[in-house]
Amino acid sequence: MGEFEVHRVRFFGLVPAGVRCLACQPRGSRLALARTDGAVEVYNFAANYYQEKVIPGHDARAVESLCWAAGDRLFGAGLGGDITEYDLSRLSAARAADGAGGPIWSMAANGTGTQLAIGCEDGSVKIFQVVPGGIQFERNLDRRKGRVLCLSWHPSDTHIAAGSIDVFRVIDVASGQTVQRIMVNYHVEKVKRECVVWAIALLSRGTVVTADSFGRVQFWDWQQGTLSESHTVSTSAVLSLAVAEKEDSIVVGTSTGATYQLQLLPVKLGGSEKRWVRTKPFQHHSHDVRAVAHSPTALISGGLDAQLVIRPLMEKVQKKGYDAVLRKFTFPHRRLVSCARKARLLLFQFSQHLELWRLGSTKETGKDGEVLPLCRMPEHLVQLKSKGPEHIYCSCVSPCGTWLGYSTTSRFHLYRVRCDGISLRKV
């Protein structure tokens, strides 16, 4: 075996963007993920959660919510106030529509995928029709004071549950009027701080599930306006919530980095009466778990620590194998480092700039496995900032180190590098 040198590159200061929201494709095999820098990624369940698509971020396109509609059409909305449809073949934003309600905090598609509901800063809930080639505004539902932080459709598409600060309400879609308004702290005495309803789910049997900043997961009978069950799962806020398709399991994420599962289980063995029971706590994240999803066979969570965690439900796994393995995606799947071997240069790609470094060198020799002292330290040669709001999608440096190129979704940039005087000239 020949001798070779191994360079330990510890000067690549990459800070991955955290996971902001997740969306499972209904009756499909794909998972959409949006990061805090606006980038959107698509993973394929059928191919062991392979990352098959990446849409680069954009300064003016912060994504607060993602959802699938009309089968395989992916929509995103954020604090910029626009609803964006993504072109998954060209890996870009295809078109955008103004929500006309200020920043958009939440978005959800109905069960048939023909309508989108958005929750806005001005307290309005708006309905958009999904049509070929885009979306069309349909109408406003009942507007109330307070931003709408979370939304959920009833499986029959007849009602929408909307969560805000200290309150949630249920809206009749046909009439557009609020049919129930419930204060989440009406049963708590002397509450001095506001309670934020961060996530909500409207189940088919008429139960509303809320997750709030007091660390509670609560179950409400919205027709009677009463609290059925309350589970304090954390001492800090519960930020996200997802329900299984069969509505017998729920996963929630907290600001401590923990995720919890609740299951609907019989009170007595063989009995018909069932209650929600917290069964499994998991600690896979170091920061806020802002997004969770519930697939038929796994619990999925994404945190501000940039990790995507897939935890299989062992009772759903038929046989031992890759499907039964806990998976953590902790690093980008794309190539972010390019090497110019002849010139001993490294090009590091960040979202909005590039860094060109020269490797260090040594004159010492030693035995296998020894760490050799450097006679010349690594040198930071150039930092090249990208112009415009689009983030860098890919980059490369030529083997000779004299050419450097990068591209965004709409443009390609090529530079000539002169390392003697450390200069760049755009071609």
XYZ file of all heavy atoms in Angstrom, residues 230-325:
725
model
N -55.893 16.369 29.209
C -54.745 17.275 29.169
C -53.511 16.522 29.629
O -53.541 15.863 30.672
C -54.981 18.499 30.058
O -53.877 19.382 29.995
N -52.444 16.609 28.858
C -51.186 15.940 29.184
C -50.064 16.982 29.175
O -49.804 17.601 28.141
C -50.868 14.849 28.159
C -51.886 13.751 28.094
N -51.739 12.553 28.760
C -53.091 13.680 27.450
C -52.789 11.782 28.517
N -53.613 12.453 27.723
N -49.427 17.182 30.309
C -48.258 18.057 30.382
C -47.034 17.202 30.073
O -46.572 16.429 30.911
C -48.128 18.702 31.767
O -49.311 19.455 32.035
C -46.921 19.629 31.816
N -46.516 17.343 28.872
C -45.419 16.478 28.424
C -44.060 17.118 28.629
O -43.031 16.433 28.544
C -45.589 16.099 26.937
C -46.885 15.345 26.722
C -45.542 17.328 26.045
N -44.021 18.434 28.901
C -42.728 19.108 29.021
C -42.874 20.325 29.918
O -43.967 20.886 30.078
C -42.221 19.521 27.630
O -41.015 20.263 27.736
N -41.758 20.741 30.499
C -41.742 21.964 31.300
C -41.579 23.206 30.430
O -41.670 24.324 30.930
C -40.587 21.910 32.321
O -39.348 21.683 31.613
C -40.801 20.776 33.315
N -41.322 23.002 29.149
C -41.200 24.108 28.203
C -42.246 23.949 27.112
O -43.115 23.071 27.185
C -39.793 24.146 27.610
O -39.507 22.936 26.933
N -42.155 24.750 26.075
C -43.199 24.798 25.056
C -43.214 23.549 24.187
O -42.167 22.971 23.870
C -43.006 26.028 24.180
N -44.414 23.141 23.789
C -44.596 22.129 22.750
C -44.813 22.884 21.444
O -45.779 23.631 21.299
C -45.788 21.207 23.041
C -45.930 20.166 21.947
C -45.611 20.522 24.392
N -43.896 22.716 20.486
C -43.854 23.561 19.299
C -44.488 22.942 18.062
O -44.838 23.665 17.124
C -42.391 23.919 18.977
C -41.622 24.652 20.075
C -40.165 24.814 19.668
C -42.248 26.003 20.354
N -44.602 21.628 18.022
C -45.071 20.975 16.798
C -45.860 19.725 17.141
O -45.691 19.135 18.218
C -43.882 20.620 15.886
O -42.882 19.923 16.613
N -46.710 19.320 16.192
C -47.610 18.192 16.427
C -47.970 17.565 15.090
O -48.162 18.268 14.099
C -48.870 18.685 17.151
C -49.996 17.718 17.499
C -50.704 18.210 18.766
C -51.022 17.631 16.374
N -48.043 16.241 15.061
C -48.461 15.524 13.856
C -49.250 14.292 14.276
O -48.920 13.635 15.279
C -47.262 15.122 13.004
N -50.262 13.955 13.490
C -51.165 12.846 13.797
C -51.025 11.771 12.737
O -50.890 12.076 11.535
C -52.624 13.334 13.869
C -53.563 12.199 14.269
C -52.759 14.489 14.850
N -51.055 10.515 13.157
C -51.009 9.401 12.218
C -52.281 9.381 11.381
O -53.333 9.898 11.768
C -50.842 8.076 12.961
N -52.206 8.752 10.221
C -53.349 8.706 9.308
C -54.551 8.014 9.947
O -55.701 8.415 9.731
C -52.946 7.991 8.018
C -54.013 7.995 6.947
C -53.547 7.341 5.655
O -52.363 6.965 5.560
O -54.376 7.206 4.742
N -54.296 6.995 10.779
C -55.384 6.280 11.445
C -55.861 6.977 12.710
O -56.782 6.496 13.381
C -54.949 4.847 11.770
C -54.691 3.987 10.542
C -54.318 2.570 10.941
C -54.096 1.686 9.717
N -53.729 0.303 10.096
N -55.222 8.094 13.079
C -55.581 8.909 14.242
C -55.485 8.136 15.553
O -56.230 8.395 16.498
C -56.988 9.493 14.081
C -57.118 10.443 12.901
C -58.487 11.097 12.810
O -59.369 10.708 13.588
O -58.664 11.999 11.977
N -54.561 7.195 15.621
C -54.346 6.441 16.853
C -52.986 6.722 17.483
O -52.621 6.122 18.490
C -54.488 4.943 16.595
C -53.514 4.433 15.537
O -52.811 5.261 14.917
O -53.466 3.202 15.312
N -52.232 7.640 16.905
C -50.900 7.970 17.407
C -50.590 9.430 17.071
O -50.978 9.928 16.013
C -49.840 7.042 16.788
O -48.537 7.413 17.209
N -49.896 10.103 17.997
C -49.524 11.506 17.832
C -48.060 11.661 18.234
O -47.600 11.052 19.202
C -50.410 12.425 18.702
C -51.846 12.403 18.203
C -49.887 13.852 18.722
C -52.804 13.169 19.094
N -47.324 12.464 17.493
C -45.955 12.812 17.861
C -45.890 14.318 18.034
O -46.478 15.076 17.257
C -44.937 12.325 16.798
C -45.235 12.889 15.424
C -43.511 12.683 17.219
N -45.179 14.766 19.095
C -45.028 16.198 19.359
C -43.558 16.499 19.587
O -42.779 15.650 20.039
C -45.855 16.654 20.584
C -47.338 16.448 20.338
C -45.415 15.914 21.841
N -43.162 17.732 19.265
C -41.795 18.189 19.475
C -41.770 19.381 20.404
O -42.675 20.224 20.382
N -40.724 19.478 21.242
C -40.657 20.517 22.272
C -39.433 21.403 22.084
O -38.532 21.108 21.286
C -40.606 19.877 23.672
O -39.344 19.191 23.825
C -41.733 18.871 23.862
N -39.388 22.481 22.857
C -38.275 23.411 22.777
C -37.042 22.915 23.524
O -35.992 23.565 23.477
C -38.692 24.778 23.327
O -39.104 24.668 24.668
N -37.141 21.791 24.212
C -35.974 21.199 24.873
C -35.245 20.206 23.973
O -34.237 19.626 24.383
C -36.390 20.477 26.166
O -37.302 19.422 25.847
C -37.050 21.442 27.136
N -35.743 19.974 22.767
C -35.142 19.004 21.870
C -35.721 17.614 21.988
O -35.306 16.709 21.263
N -36.684 17.422 22.881
C -37.296 16.102 23.071
C -38.541 15.968 22.209
O -39.245 16.950 21.942
C -37.651 15.881 24.534
N -38.811 14.743 21.778
C -40.054 14.417 21.094
C -40.783 13.354 21.892
O -40.159 12.504 22.545
C -39.800 13.906 19.663
O -38.922 12.770 19.714
C -39.169 14.993 18.813
N -42.113 13.390 21.840
C -42.929 12.459 22.607
C -43.979 11.853 21.696
O -44.480 12.511 20.774
C -43.630 13.169 23.773
C -42.687 13.760 24.798
C -42.160 15.034 24.618
C -42.326 13.049 25.940
C -41.300 15.591 25.551
C -41.468 13.597 26.881
C -40.956 14.860 26.677
O -40.096 15.399 27.604
N -44.316 10.602 22.004
C -45.401 9.936 21.285
C -46.557 9.683 22.241
O -46.348 9.267 23.391
C -44.942 8.610 20.675
C -46.030 7.951 19.825
C -45.674 6.538 19.398
O -44.726 5.944 19.888
N -46.443 5.986 18.476
N -47.752 9.953 21.781
C -48.964 9.618 22.518
C -49.768 8.645 21.677
O -49.894 8.816 20.457
C -49.803 10.866 22.820
C -49.210 11.881 23.790
C -48.432 12.945 23.041
C -50.308 12.530 24.624
N -50.327 7.612 22.328
C -51.106 6.605 21.614
C -52.473 6.457 22.238
O -52.655 6.626 23.451
C -50.382 5.252 21.634
C -49.143 5.195 20.750
C -48.506 3.817 20.758
O -47.909 3.407 21.753
N -48.643 3.101 19.660
N -53.443 6.159 21.403
C -54.811 5.920 21.847
C -54.940 4.441 22.190
O -54.943 3.582 21.301
C -55.792 6.318 20.742
C -57.268 6.324 21.105
C -57.551 7.320 22.220
C -58.111 6.648 19.869
N -55.048 4.141 23.491
C -55.031 2.751 23.958
C -56.277 2.448 24.785
O -56.855 3.351 25.407
C -53.781 2.498 24.817
C -52.431 2.738 24.128
C -51.298 2.588 25.130
C -52.247 1.793 22.957
N -56.716 1.181 24.806
C -57.877 0.805 25.624
C -57.599 0.992 27.111
O -56.492 0.724 27.595
C -58.080 -0.679 25.278
C -57.349 -0.894 23.999
C -56.206 0.057 24.004
N -58.607 1.468 27.840
C -58.471 1.616 29.298
C -58.342 0.253 29.954
O -57.535 0.053 30.868
C -59.675 2.399 29.857
C -59.609 2.466 31.384
C -59.728 3.793 29.260
N -59.137 -0.704 29.482
C -59.058 -2.072 29.965
C -58.788 -2.993 28.793
O -59.220 -2.723 27.679
C -60.363 -2.479 30.657
C -60.653 -1.693 31.923
C -61.948 -2.181 32.578
C -62.255 -1.407 33.847
N -63.514 -1.883 34.486
N -58.066 -4.058 29.050
C -57.736 -5.004 27.999
C -59.010 -5.576 27.382
O -59.855 -6.143 28.075
C -56.876 -6.148 28.573
C -56.335 -7.151 27.551
C -55.390 -6.452 26.576
C -55.612 -8.302 28.265
N -59.144 -5.394 26.086
C -60.317 -5.884 25.385
C -61.523 -4.966 25.461
O -62.560 -5.254 24.864
N -61.387 -3.831 26.197
C -62.513 -2.908 26.347
C -62.628 -1.963 25.162
O -61.701 -1.798 24.365
N -63.767 -1.303 25.062
C -64.012 -0.379 23.964
C -63.595 1.055 24.300
O -63.324 1.849 23.405
C -65.493 -0.409 23.574
O -66.295 -0.049 24.694
N -63.568 1.383 25.604
C -63.181 2.738 26.005
C -61.677 2.928 25.840
O -60.887 2.082 26.263
C -63.575 2.997 27.456
C -63.268 4.418 27.909
C -63.607 4.642 29.373
O -64.094 3.689 30.015
O -63.371 5.761 29.868
N -61.300 4.057 25.229
C -59.889 4.329 24.977
C -59.505 5.704 25.479
O -60.333 6.610 25.538
C -59.574 4.218 23.474
C -59.748 2.831 22.894
C -59.359 2.796 21.422
C -59.497 1.388 20.856
N -59.092 1.352 19.418
N -58.234 5.834 25.856
C -57.708 7.118 26.305
C -56.313 7.319 25.703
O -55.631 6.360 25.337
C -57.621 7.195 27.832
C -58.962 7.172 28.521
C -58.801 7.351 30.015
N -58.324 8.677 30.345
C -59.109 9.741 30.510
N -60.426 9.616 30.383
N -58.609 10.912 30.820
N -55.936 8.600 25.622
C -54.605 8.926 25.112
C -53.573 8.761 26.229
O -53.760 9.252 27.340
C -54.576 10.348 24.580
C -55.327 10.509 23.295
C -56.604 10.925 23.134
C -54.827 10.215 21.987
N -56.955 10.918 21.799
C -55.872 10.490 21.073
C -53.606 9.761 21.492
C -55.734 10.324 19.703
C -53.461 9.596 20.123
C -54.504 9.866 19.244
N -52.492 8.055 25.889
C -51.434 7.759 26.854
C -50.091 8.141 26.253
O -49.797 7.794 25.101
C -51.421 6.255 27.242
C -50.286 5.971 28.228
C -52.765 5.844 27.823
N -49.292 8.861 27.028
C -47.938 9.174 26.564
C -47.076 7.930 26.756
O -46.903 7.445 27.869
C -47.356 10.340 27.364
C -46.078 10.893 26.762
C -45.483 11.980 27.636
N -44.820 11.403 28.801
C -44.250 12.131 29.752
N -44.319 13.443 29.708
N -43.656 11.548 30.767
N -46.515 7.423 25.653
C -45.846 6.123 25.717
C -44.337 6.199 25.529
O -43.606 5.456 26.162
C -46.427 5.181 24.644
O -46.273 5.787 23.352
C -47.901 4.927 24.904
N -43.874 7.075 24.642
C -42.451 7.026 24.306
C -41.840 8.425 24.222
O -42.218 9.204 23.360
C -42.247 6.322 22.954
C -42.709 4.881 22.925
C -42.579 4.295 21.530
C -43.115 2.874 21.474
N -43.056 2.306 20.112
N -40.903 8.748 25.127
C -40.137 9.997 24.970
C -38.794 9.717 24.283
O -38.161 8.693 24.526
C -39.930 10.446 26.422
C -39.890 9.167 27.205
C -40.726 8.150 26.450
N -38.367 10.626 23.405
C -37.092 10.477 22.706
C -36.317 11.791 22.789
O -36.908 12.865 22.712
C -37.309 10.113 21.229
C -38.245 8.965 21.015
C -39.476 9.153 20.413
C -37.898 7.683 21.423
C -40.352 8.096 20.217
C -38.762 6.619 21.236
C -39.990 6.821 20.630
N -35.008 11.699 22.952
C -34.152 12.883 23.015
C -33.069 12.744 21.953
O -31.982 12.248 22.198
C -33.525 13.027 24.409
C -32.721 14.296 24.605
C -33.586 15.532 24.826
O -34.530 15.503 25.606
N -33.266 16.616 24.144
N -33.385 13.212 20.746
C -32.438 13.109 19.632
C -31.922 14.470 19.174
O -31.032 14.523 18.335
C -33.094 12.404 18.448
C -33.521 10.997 18.729
N -32.654 10.039 19.218
C -34.727 10.391 18.604
C -33.304 8.897 19.370
N -34.560 9.077 19.014
N -32.476 15.559 19.700
C -32.096 16.893 19.256
C -31.542 17.708 20.421
O -31.894 17.475 21.580
C -33.295 17.618 18.644
C -33.881 16.931 17.451
N -33.399 17.126 16.172
C -34.903 16.046 17.339
C -34.109 16.391 15.334
N -35.019 15.729 16.010
N -30.717 18.679 20.084
C -30.134 19.562 21.098
C -30.812 20.921 21.140
O -30.567 21.706 22.051
C -28.637 19.750 20.832
O -28.424 20.310 19.538
N -31.670 21.216 20.151
C -32.349 22.502 20.074
C -33.847 22.281 19.819
O -34.319 21.139 19.817
C -31.754 23.368 18.958
C -30.356 23.819 19.213
N -29.286 22.942 19.216
C -29.843 25.049 19.471
C -28.167 23.616 19.458
N -28.482 24.888 19.619
N -34.570 23.381 19.599
C -36.011 23.315 19.384
C -36.371 22.341 18.271
O -35.750 22.346 17.207
C -36.550 24.693 18.992
C -36.398 25.714 20.111
O -35.825 25.369 21.144
O -36.857 26.851 19.922
N -37.393 21.542 18.510
C -37.947 20.668 17.473
C -39.130 21.408 16.872
O -40.258 21.331 17.364
C -38.373 19.305 18.050
C -38.920 18.415 16.942
C -37.196 18.626 18.729
N -38.870 22.148 15.800
C -39.891 22.997 15.206
C -40.812 22.230 14.261
O -41.843 22.772 13.857
C -39.217 24.144 14.430
C -38.360 25.068 15.278
C -39.189 25.842 16.277
N -40.183 26.686 15.653
C -39.973 27.941 15.251
N -38.768 28.482 15.405
N -40.939 28.655 14.721
N -40.444 21.011 13.885
C -41.257 20.287 12.907
C -41.247 18.796 13.200
O -40.195 18.227 13.521
C -40.730 20.540 11.494
N -42.424 18.177 13.098
C -42.555 16.724 13.220
C -43.502 16.233 12.133
O -44.333 16.985 11.614
C -43.073 16.290 14.611
C -42.046 16.553 15.690
C -44.390 16.987 14.937
N -43.371 14.958 11.804
C -44.262 14.309 10.841
C -44.467 12.868 11.288
O -43.615 12.293 11.982
C -43.694 14.367 9.425
N -45.584 12.287 10.876
C -45.935 10.922 11.290
C -46.239 10.126 10.029
O -47.287 10.305 9.411
C -47.146 10.955 12.212
C -47.264 9.752 13.106
N -47.155 8.457 12.642
C -47.479 9.652 14.447
C -47.306 7.618 13.657
N -47.503 8.313 14.759
N -45.295 9.264 9.634
C -45.537 8.389 8.495
C -46.157 7.086 9.007
O -46.203 6.846 10.218
C -44.223 8.110 7.754
O -43.453 7.158 8.451
N -46.634 6.209 8.132
C -47.230 4.951 8.604
C -46.267 4.076 9.398
O -46.711 3.260 10.208
C -47.660 4.269 7.299
C -47.882 5.382 6.340
C -46.843 6.399 6.676
N -44.954 4.233 9.195
C -43.996 3.330 9.844
C -42.942 4.038 10.686
O -42.078 3.378 11.254
C -43.261 2.490 8.787
O -42.576 3.359 7.873
C -44.235 1.611 8.019
N -42.992 5.379 10.802
C -41.908 6.066 11.514
C -42.376 7.399 12.063
O -43.343 8.001 11.575
C -40.712 6.272 10.583
N -41.652 7.861 13.104
C -41.801 9.215 13.621
C -40.646 10.038 13.072
O -39.494 9.637 13.161
C -41.762 9.219 15.151
C -42.742 8.295 15.880
C -42.546 8.400 17.387
C -44.173 8.628 15.503
N -40.957 11.196 12.524
C -39.955 12.029 11.864
C -39.909 13.375 12.571
O -40.949 13.978 12.841
C -40.305 12.221 10.379
C -40.524 10.866 9.706
C -39.216 13.003 9.659
C -41.177 10.953 8.337
N -38.708 13.845 12.873
C -38.562 15.128 13.559
C -37.408 15.905 12.959
O -36.407 15.341 12.517
C -38.340 14.917 15.065
O -37.178 14.135 15.303
N -37.564 17.231 12.955
C -36.520 18.124 12.470
C -36.317 19.245 13.464
O -37.284 19.846 13.935
N -35.053 19.540 13.785
C -34.769 20.535 14.809
C -33.944 21.692 14.298
O -33.398 21.655 13.187
N -33.840 22.728 15.113
C -32.989 23.858 14.772
C -31.516 23.497 14.835
O -30.667 24.292 14.441
C -33.283 25.033 15.716
C -34.650 25.692 15.544
C -34.766 26.917 16.439
C -34.899 26.086 14.091
N -31.187 22.303 15.331
C -29.811 21.814 15.268
C -29.483 21.256 13.891
O -28.400 20.692 13.690
C -29.568 20.738 16.328
C -30.551 19.569 16.222
O -31.383 19.571 15.290
O -30.491 18.667 17.078
N -30.398 21.394 12.942
C -30.244 20.996 11.526
C -30.375 19.498 11.310
O -30.238 19.027 10.181
C -28.915 21.479 10.948
N -30.672 18.736 12.339
C -30.794 17.284 12.198
C -32.204 16.876 11.767
O -33.197 17.415 12.259
C -30.458 16.585 13.515
C -29.006 16.641 13.901
C -28.695 15.649 15.007
O -28.069 14.622 14.796
N -29.129 15.963 16.208
N -32.262 15.928 10.857
C -33.497 15.244 10.503
C -33.390 13.823 11.045
O -32.450 13.095 10.707
C -33.689 15.220 8.990
C -34.889 14.414 8.469
C -36.204 15.053 8.924
C -34.841 14.295 6.954
N -34.334 13.430 11.903
C -34.265 12.134 12.583
C -35.466 11.287 12.164
O -36.613 11.741 12.231
C -34.246 12.307 14.117
C -34.245 10.951 14.813
C -33.020 13.120 14.543
N -35.189 10.060 11.722
C -36.224 9.094 11.348
C -36.186 7.965 12.368
O -35.208 7.217 12.443
C -35.992 8.518 9.936
C -35.628 9.621 8.944
C -37.191 7.715 9.480
C -36.710 10.605 8.662
N -37.214 7.853 13.193
C -37.271 6.787 14.197
C -38.378 5.807 13.821
O -39.568 6.140 13.896
C -37.516 7.344 15.592
C -37.445 6.250 16.656
C -37.570 6.784 18.058
N -37.360 5.700 19.014
C -36.194 5.339 19.535
N -35.111 6.016 19.195
N -36.085 4.340 20.381
N -38.035 4.593 13.411
C -39.058 3.609 12.999
C -39.940 3.193 14.174
O -39.491 3.123 15.326
C -38.221 2.427 12.501
C -36.861 2.971 12.239
C -36.668 4.081 13.230
N -41.203 2.955 13.886
C -42.115 2.357 14.850
C -41.935 0.850 14.769
O -42.341 0.223 13.796
C -43.555 2.753 14.529
C -43.870 4.254 14.658
C -45.235 4.557 14.067
C -43.799 4.679 16.106
N -41.313 0.288 15.782
C -40.916 -1.117 15.702
C -42.107 -2.056 15.551
O -41.993 -3.119 14.945
C -40.107 -1.496 16.948
C -38.821 -0.682 17.109
S -37.782 -0.684 15.629
C -37.323 -2.404 15.548
N -43.276 -1.653 16.090
C -44.444 -2.524 15.950
C -44.965 -2.540 14.523
O -45.759 -3.413 14.148
C -45.554 -2.083 16.907
C -46.110 -0.695 16.639
C -45.360 0.393 17.397
O -44.216 0.128 17.836
O -45.917 1.488 17.527
N -44.512 -1.548 13.694
C -44.945 -1.492 12.298
C -43.933 -2.135 11.353
O -44.234 -2.339 10.181
C -45.146 -0.037 11.874
C -46.134 0.741 12.734
C -47.544 0.281 12.519
C -48.522 1.155 13.294
N -49.926 0.722 13.109
N -42.735 -2.441 11.835
C -41.693 -3.011 10.990
C -41.878 -4.525 10.908
O -41.947 -5.212 11.938
C -40.290 -2.666 11.541
C -39.205 -3.322 10.697
C -40.102 -1.157 11.566
N -41.964 -5.033 9.703
C -42.258 -6.444 9.511
C -41.052 -7.342 9.751
O -41.169 -8.441 10.261
C -42.796 -6.665 8.083
C -44.055 -5.869 7.776
C -45.221 -6.284 8.652
O -45.358 -7.440 9.039
N -46.063 -5.302 8.987
N -39.861 -6.870 9.395
C -38.670 -7.691 9.551
C -37.469 -6.801 9.838
O -37.489 -5.602 9.565
C -38.412 -8.524 8.293
C -38.271 -7.700 7.015
C -38.076 -8.602 5.807
C -37.939 -7.774 4.528
N -37.754 -8.636 3.339
N -36.449 -7.389 10.387
C -35.239 -6.645 10.700
C -34.531 -6.230 9.407
O -34.537 -6.946 8.429
C -34.301 -7.485 11.557
C -34.836 -7.773 12.955
C -33.833 -8.547 13.780
C -34.369 -8.806 15.187
N -33.386 -9.574 15.997
N -33.932 -5.073 9.446
C -33.253 -4.559 8.264
C -33.091 -3.058 8.364
O -33.177 -2.471 9.450
N -32.886 -2.429 7.212
C -32.643 -0.993 7.209
C -33.866 -0.216 7.690
O -33.743 0.848 8.289
C -32.260 -0.530 5.799
C -31.770 0.896 5.748
C -30.496 1.236 6.191
C -32.584 1.910 5.261
C -30.054 2.542 6.156
C -32.153 3.218 5.216
C -30.881 3.529 5.657
O -30.451 4.826 5.628
N -35.066 -0.747 7.440
C -36.282 -0.062 7.861
C -36.407 0.031 9.379
O -37.165 0.856 9.894
C -37.518 -0.774 7.302
C -37.638 -0.594 5.804
O -37.035 0.365 5.288
O -38.327 -1.400 5.159
N -35.691 -0.823 10.109
C -35.770 -0.839 11.568
C -34.636 -0.066 12.229
O -34.478 -0.114 13.448
C -35.753 -2.294 12.064
N -33.867 0.675 11.453
C -32.688 1.373 11.978
C -33.012 2.847 12.185
O -33.625 3.494 11.328
C -31.499 1.220 11.012
C -30.286 1.985 11.522
C -31.146 -0.255 10.843
